[in-house]
Amino acid sequence: MNRNELTRRLLEDAAQRSIRYRETCDDRSVAPDREAVAALGRLQQPLPDAGMPDEEVIALLDDVGSPATMAMAGSRFFGFVIGGSLPVTVASNWLSTAWDQNVVMHEVTPATATMEQVAIEWMVELLGLPHGTGAGFVTGATVANFSALAAARHRVFENVGWNVEANGLIGAPPVTIIVSDEAHPTLFKSLGMLGLGRDRVIRVPTDGQGRMIAAKLPELHGPAIVCTQAGNINSGAFDPIGDICDAVKPGGAWVHVDGAFGLWAAASTSKRALTDGMEAADSWATDAHKWLNVPYDGGIAFVRNPADLAAAMAITADYLITETEHRNPSDYTPELSRRGRGIDVYAALLSLGRKGVEELVDRCCRHARRFAEGLGGAGYDVLNDVVLNQVVVSFGDDATTRRVIDMIQADGTCWCGATVWQGVTAMRISVSSWATTDEDVDKSLDAMIAVAAAVLDG
Ligand SMILES: Cc1ncc(COP(=O)(O)O)c(C=O)c1O
C-alpha cells in the first residue's frame, strides 16, 4: 500500500470510530465506569523500541480511551461549564487538523487568518462590542483574561509614562487593581502571571447572588484596572458592569470583563439586559469551548483598542513576515505558533447564524429553569436566582448534599459537580450543551429526584 492509501485507511478508520463514539455517547453512563478506568493501565507500557502500526495505535486509543472518557460531548453532562461540540465544529476541527496550519502570520496562512479575522468581526457584532474591537484566539478564558489584562497593564502604565513591556515592574509606579469577592480564580492567576499580584488587589464585596456592589467601589486615584464579571461560575449572576463603568471610567480606569460563558448572553434578546453597559468596558474575555460549543480548546481575548493588545503581544524577528498590510494573528496572542482555533468559531457562527446562537443560549437557559422548577417542586432548595444557565441546589445539610451528588454521579444518567455557594455545599447544574433536549432534562431530573429520595430515606 502506498502512503496515500495508508493515510486514507487510517483516517477513515478514525472517522468511523469517532462517529461511533458520538452516536453512542448518550447510551452509556455519563461518567466512565470503574472497569473502563481500571483498563487505562493498558496504556502504561514501556516506550516501545520499534513502533506500533498506526491502525493499532488508533485502535488502542479507541478501545481503551473511549470507554474511559467522561461523556462531555453528550447531552447530559452538566458539570463545570463545559459545553459540547456542534457537529460542524468537530468536522471543521478535523479539516483544520488536516491542514495543519501554524497561524502565526497572515502571509503564510491566509485562509486561516482570514477566517479568524471574520470570526472576530462577527463576534464583535453579535456580542455588541464596540466597532473596531480587536481580539486574539487563545486556549480559553484563563489565557483570555491574562491577555486582556496584559493589554490593560500596557495601557495604564503607558498613561503614566512607564513602558512596562521594556522595563518590567521593578520600580514601576503603583497601579490599583480592583476585583470582586467573587472573581474567578483564573483572574487572580492571570494577575499573578502578569506580576500584578494575586493578593495585591482591592476586593469589593458582593451581594447574595455574587454581584459586585458598585456602591462599595473605593475612590480611585491614579492608574487602575477594574475587573468585572459577566456570569458567576456558580450562580450565573452578572456584575452591574454599566454602573461600574460609570463610576470608574471618568477617572481613567481600565475596565475588564471576565465573561467566560456569560458574554454570550449578549447574543440573546431576552438575556442581553444582563450585560447592559458592558460595551463601555475596555476588554472582555470569553470562551468558545463553553457556550459556543466548539471542541476544546478555544478562548477569545477582546480589546477595544487592538493596539493595546498588540503592544503587549507583538514581536518582530528577521525571519518573520511582520511587515504586512494584513492583521497578523500572532500580534494578539501570547503564543507565536498555534493551531487555527478561530476556524471552529467561524464554522460554528456560520452554521448557527445570529438566530442559532440566540436559540442555543435561550434553550440552555430554559433547561436551567426547568431543572430549578423540577428540583424546587420536589422540595429541594434552589439557592440562586436562575438568571442564566446555572442552577445551584442543596439537598439538605452539607454531608447529605455531598452524598446525593456522589450517588447522582454514580447513577450515570447525568453528571453534576459539587460546589460551596455562600457557605452552603451545593450541587451545580450548568446547562451549556447544544445537544441537551427537554427529554434529557426530564430524564436527568427523574434520576436526580429518585437518587436524592433514596439517600434521604436512608
Ligand atoms: C468566569 C470564568 N472565568 C474564567 C474561567 C476559566 O475558563 P477556562 O477554563 O476556559 O480557561 C471560567 C471557567 O469556567 C469562568 O467561569
Side-chain angles (χ1 to χ4, degrees):
M1 234 185 284
N2 67 29
R3 197 165 66 184
N4 280 349
E5 284 164 353
L6 280 170
T7 304
R8 170 185 291 273
R9 212 168 69 170
L10 187 69
L11 295 187
E12 283 178 349
D13 177 49
Q16 288 310 321
R17 289 175 183 277
S18 307
I19 293 163
R20 198 159 53 239
Y21 179 81
R22 297 286 288 220
E23 284 176 348
T24 55
C25 211
D26 286 335
D27 304 335
R28 45 160 277 201
S29 161
V30 175
D33 60 36
R34 249 177 246 258
E35 296 75 52
V37 175
L40 290 172
R42 282 178 58 198
L43 301 175
Q44 283 154 351
Q45 45 184 288
L47 176 65
D49 278 337
M52 192 186 254
D54 290 352
E55 59 274 20
E56 286 178 33
V57 171
I58 296 304
L60 180 71
L61 297 190
D62 188 29
D63 296 346
V64 178
S66 294
T69 57
M70 177 72 79
M72 292 175 176
S75 57
R76 291 189 303 279
F77 182 83
F78 306 114
F80 314 103
V81 190
I82 291 279
S85 40
L86 294 158
V88 72
T89 64
V90 178
S92 66
N93 199 277
W94 284 353
L95 190 59
S96 64
T97 297
W99 292 344
D100 194 21
Q101 299 288 284
N102 181 358
V103 193
V104 177
M105 296 160 283
H106 183 103
E107 305 292 340
V108 286
T109 53
T112 48
T114 302
M115 287 173 204
E116 291 201 343
Q117 178 158 5
V118 176
I120 290 168
E121 287 162 11
W122 283 349
M123 284 187 287
V124 165
E125 191 189 322
L126 186 68
L127 301 175
L129 302 181
H131 181 71
T133 293
F137 284 101
V138 294
T139 48
T142 303
V143 181
N145 277 328
F146 168 83
S147 304
L149 290 170
R153 189 182 68 159
H154 165 80
R155 174 50 44 214
V156 297
F157 277 113
E158 184 159 282
N159 287 351
V160 291
W162 184 265
N163 182 339
V164 72
E165 284 77 28
N167 300 320
L169 289 167
I170 297 166
V175 170
T176 306
I177 311 286
I178 307 283
V179 301
S180 89
D181 267 344
E182 278 285 336
H184 194 269
T186 57
L187 198 92
F188 295 97
K189 178 173 168 173
S190 301
L191 291 168
M193 290 192 292
L194 287 162
L196 297 170
R198 292 187 186 203
D199 295 339
R200 228 196 107 273
V201 294
I202 297 175
R203 286 172 177 258
V204 179
T206 50
D207 65 14
Q209 296 300 317
R211 296 174 290 228
M212 186 192 283
I213 303 171
K216 301 252 164 134
L217 277 163
E219 219 169 279
L220 296 176
H221 304 283
I225 300 171
V226 179
C227 303
T228 67
Q229 184 167 252
N232 179 286
I233 188 72
N234 287 308
S235 70
F238 287 60
D239 288 343
I241 303 169
D243 293 347
I244 296 167
C245 288
D246 288 347
V248 305
K249 293 288 292 174
W254 177 291
V255 177
H256 171 67
V257 181
D258 175 2
F261 57 99
L263 213 66
W264 296 93
S268 156
T269 313
S270 64
K271 295 291 167 197
R272 191 170 302 139
L274 291 166
T275 66
D276 265 357
M278 77 160 183
E279 63 284 357
D282 300 281
S283 58
W284 306 261
T286 197
D287 266 318
H289 57 221
K290 290 187 167 67
W291 225 345
L292 191 60
N293 279 260
V294 308
Y296 279 89
D297 49 29
I300 306 115
F302 293 102
V303 176
R304 172 187 288 270
N305 179 3
D308 289 331
L309 186 54
M313 299 295 168
I315 54 163
T316 55
D318 291 337
Y319 74 98
L320 297 174
I321 308 168
T322 50
E323 293 294 321
T324 167
E325 63 191 75
H326 298 290
R327 169 189 180 277
N328 258 343
S330 63
D331 285 354
Y332 302 94
T333 57
E335 303 92 343
L336 183 61
S337 300
R338 67 171 175 88
R339 67 175 287 123
R341 295 194 182 92
I343 299 165
D344 301 337
V345 174
Y346 181 88
L349 293 173
L350 191 60
S351 154
L352 290 169
R354 194 189 297 277
K355 279 218 179 76
V357 179
E358 177 165 27
E359 277 163 19
L360 171 59
V361 169
D362 288 349
R363 193 165 65 244
C364 290
C365 295
R366 200 184 68 230
H367 290 328
R369 282 197 307 278
R370 197 178 177 99
F371 269 121
E373 283 158 17
L375 291 166
Y380 303 114
D381 258 354
V382 175
L383 304 178
N384 65 318
D385 293 345
V386 181
V387 293
L388 204 68
N389 61 337
Q390 305 290 117
V391 184
V392 186
V393 59
S394 153
F395 294 95
D397 60 34
D398 290 357
T400 304
T401 298
R402 288 243 173 238
R403 177 104 185 104
V404 172
I405 297 167
D406 287 348
M407 297 307 286
I408 287 172
Q409 291 176 356
D411 167 76
T413 306
C414 62
W415 201 97
C416 302
T419 190
V420 176
W421 176 241
Q422 312 264 332
V424 177
T425 296
M427 184 173 84
R428 203 163 61 102
I429 305 170
S430 171
V431 193
S432 318
S433 174
W434 69 280
T436 303
T437 62
D438 286 346
E439 292 70 45
D440 288 311
V441 175
D442 290 346
K443 193 170 172 180
S444 303
L445 265 174
D446 288 349
M448 289 171 184
I449 292 169
V451 167
V455 170
L456 288 164
D457 282 352

